[in-house]
Amino acid sequence: MSNVPNLLNDDGTASIATALMMSHHGFRRDLARFARALDTIANGDEARVGAVREEWQRFHMGLHGHHEAEDNGVFPSIVGQHESARATIEGLSADHRRIDPLLERGDAAFADLSTTDAALAIVRELQDLLAEHLAIEERELIPFLRDAKAFPPPPNDEALALYAQGFAWSMHGIAPDIVEQVYAMLPEELRARIPAARAAFEERCERVWGSTKTGTTRTPIPAPLGG
Ligand SMILES: [Fe+2]
Ligand SMILES: [Fe+2]
C-alpha cells in the first residue's frame, strides 16, 4: 500500500482530488461492510435484511453516479488538458462499462437474500475489479486534480441536498482535520447543510449495519475498524 496517496495535498489543503478519493474510500468501506453484513445474514441473523437491501440500492446509484460524473465531467476535462492521459482514461471508461452490469446483477442477488451466496460473489467481484480500477485512477489521474479547488455551487435546492448527503456518506471514517479542510473548500450554502446530513447518515449506519463504528483514515483506503 506504499503508493496510496494522501487525501490532502502536500500543503495540507483539500482539493477536488480529496473529494474524489473520499468517494473511493466510501465504496471500499461499504463493500467491506456488505461482505460482513451478508456473513451475519448467512449465519441466521436476518434482522437487517431489508435495510441492507435498501443500502445496496443506494450503493448501486452511488457507484453508477460516480462513473457518470467521471465519464462526462472529470475525464473529458483531464484529457482536454493532458492528452497523454487519453489511453489510461479510455481503459478506465471501459472498466465502468464492465462494472455497471455487475451492479444490475447485484440488484437481483440482493432482492433475494434467502441465500447470500450470489450477493457475496458480486461483492467480491466488485472488490476485485475496483481494487485495480481505483488504484489506477489514484495513481494516474489524481495528480491532475490537486490544483482544482473550486467546488461548483449546486444549481438548486435538490442538488444541494444530494451533495450534502453525498459528503455525509464519504466523510464517514475520514480524519476530522481532513473533513475541516474539505469544508473550507465548499460553498457556504453546501457546508451549512452537511452537519445535519452527517447526523442522518449516522442513524442510517445504525439501521443498516447495526453500528456507526468506523476507523479514521488519511488516505482513500478505509482504516480497520479496530475490533
Ligand atoms: Fe472510475
Ligand atoms: Fe473514481
Side-chain angles (χ1 to χ4, degrees):
M1 294 291 177
S2 58
N3 292 323
V4 175
N6 288 317
L7 289 170
L8 292 180
N9 289 359
D10 287 344
D11 67 0
T13 61
S15 63
I16 297 298
T18 312
L20 192 92
M21 287 191 288
M22 288 199 315
S23 292
H24 287 184
H25 152 270
F27 296 128
R28 290 173 169 120
R29 177 200 65 204
D30 285 359
L31 285 171
R33 284 171 159 174
F34 278 118
R36 277 197 302 274
L38 289 169
D39 200 42
T40 303
I41 293 168
N43 286 326
D45 179 353
E46 299 194 342
R48 300 184 193 284
V49 164
V52 168
R53 182 180 295 136
E54 269 177 39
E55 189 66 19
W56 168 262
Q57 289 301 327
R58 293 194 194 95
F59 181 89
H60 179 156
M61 283 193 304
L63 185 55
H64 180 67
H66 181 80
H67 291 166
E68 287 199 318
E70 287 180 338
D71 289 333
N72 301 327
V74 181
F75 289 177
S77 148
I78 291 176
V79 171
Q81 293 167 7
H82 309 277
E83 180 59 31
S84 61
R86 183 177 293 278
T88 302
I89 280 178
E90 282 171 0
L92 291 167
S93 285
D95 287 350
H96 293 169
R97 291 192 291 274
R98 260 202 305 278
I99 293 168
D100 281 346
L102 209 54
L103 293 171
E104 304 285 339
R105 281 170 46 208
D107 290 354
F110 274 85
D112 177 12
L113 290 177
S114 56
T115 162
T116 55
D117 293 357
L120 191 58
I122 298 279
V123 167
R124 295 295 185 211
E125 202 174 332
L126 276 170
Q127 283 179 313
D128 283 349
L129 284 171
L130 281 183
E132 185 166 356
H133 178 85
L134 300 179
I136 293 172
E137 288 181 351
E138 287 158 11
R139 189 175 65 237
E140 307 286 337
L141 302 187
I142 282 301
F144 296 135
L145 300 172
R146 294 288 191 185
D147 289 336
K149 304 263 188 169
F151 194 86
N156 54 43
D157 208 57
E158 193 185 348
L160 206 53
L162 277 176
Y163 279 125
Q165 280 170 31
F167 274 105
W169 167 83
S170 71
M171 285 171 170
H172 193 71
I174 302 293
D177 64 299
I178 296 181
V179 169
E180 287 304 317
Q181 290 297 325
V182 173
Y183 277 141
M185 176 182 70
L186 298 178
E188 171 57 34
E189 53 179 356
L190 175 55
R191 187 163 58 224
R193 295 274 191 116
I194 293 179
R198 296 196 78 186
F201 182 74
E202 295 244 325
E203 283 174 24
R204 178 171 131 201
C205 284
E206 193 69 52
R207 205 166 57 241
V208 176
W209 313 115
S211 165
T212 60
K213 196 163 66 170
T214 180
T216 301
T217 187
R218 308 190 66 80
T219 77
I221 308 296
L225 281 179

